[in-house]
Amino acid sequence: MVTLTGEHIRLRALEPEDLDFVYAVENDERIWHVSNTNTPYSRFLIKQYLSNAHQDIFEAKQLRLAICFRDQKKPIGLIDLFEYDPRNHRAGVGILIHEREHRNKGVGAEALALLVSYAFSHLNLHQLYANIDPENEASIRLFTNFGFLRIGVKAQWNLIGGTYRDEALYQLINHQF
């Protein structure tokens, strides 16, 4: 199981005890547009998901880690590698700090730094990408501060609240690969 530790936070594998947290995140309609969720998830389905969380990224094609403060077990967010493509050495990155009081305090930046380092040094990925709503200034700032470059826009890509919205594609190339 993966555990990555930084100065203030750590990223750890999901545990069965995370059921309530993951349930709350997955059923928070305010953020469904970020994860392309359309329906609520039952506790049963999330419990099944957590029971399979032991699968590694090569098997599941994704890696979801809980973001926790170093000295606490309770998660405050999630960070993912998704659409892992071992042939082309790339994956998408998604991050969510669930509670607003933990946002804009460096938690996301530290989590992203840990995950980027892990993806490039341990998984030998050549590139990471992020799909970001062009109006999400906080996410744009977070990813561009790590060197992600905006490489394109998918026009009218997502239907959110009855309106089609663009989605920007950001990419980070590992030049040491």
Side-chain angles (χ1 to χ4, degrees):
M1 293 290 171
V2 176
T3 299
L4 307 171
T5 305
E7 185 178 347
H8 302 287
I9 63 140
R10 64 189 172 94
L11 308 179
R12 63 165 177 78
L14 292 172
E15 301 285 349
E17 300 82 40
D18 296 325
L19 175 65
D20 290 337
F21 179 76
V22 175
Y23 179 81
V25 168
E26 294 295 350
N27 288 295
D28 186 345
E29 291 182 57
R30 297 170 300 170
I31 57 175
W32 279 5
H33 67 281
V34 175
S35 62
N36 291 320
T37 300
N38 294 313
T39 59
Y41 286 92
S42 68
R43 286 187 183 280
F44 175 77
L45 285 177
I46 293 173
K47 190 173 184 178
Q48 282 186 314
Y49 169 76
L50 290 173
S51 71
N52 290 315
H54 65 278
Q55 293 178 326
D56 67 18
I57 191 168
F58 301 101
E59 190 177 1
K61 303 298 183 219
Q62 75 170 24
L63 174 66
R64 174 171 270 189
L65 300 171
I67 303 169
C68 305
F69 288 113
R70 266 184 82 141
D71 58 344
Q72 296 178 8
K73 186 159 175 71
K74 181 183 177 211
I76 59 169
L78 299 168
I79 191 163
D80 301 323
L81 288 176
F82 61 90
E83 295 179 2
Y84 171 66
D85 181 348
R87 181 178 180 274
N88 294 298
H89 301 270
R90 68 176 168 238
V93 178
I95 184 169
L96 170 74
I97 306 302
H98 193 242
E99 300 300 325
R100 292 193 183 278
E101 74 253 19
H102 300 304
R103 294 180 188 165
N104 299 312
K105 295 184 177 175
V107 172
E110 191 171 344
L112 186 58
L114 289 168
L115 191 69
V116 167
S117 176
Y118 175 78
F120 286 168
S121 65
H122 288 81
L123 297 176
N124 297 316
L125 293 184
H126 175 62
Q127 60 184 291
L128 295 170
Y129 64 90
N131 302 305
I132 304 173
D133 184 319
E135 295 180 21
N136 188 339
E137 294 175 13
S139 286
I140 291 168
R141 192 170 42 255
L142 172 65
F143 281 89
T144 56
N145 283 345
F146 277 89
F148 281 75
L149 300 175
R150 183 173 162 162
I151 61 166
V153 174
K154 297 176 257 184
Q156 300 181 24
W157 196 254
N158 295 311
L159 180 62
I160 301 171
T163 304
Y164 284 98
R165 304 236 320 241
D166 294 349
E167 183 173 88
L169 179 60
Y170 287 78
Q171 182 183 46
L172 179 64
I173 302 289
N174 180 0
H175 293 289
Q176 298 176 4
F177 189 82

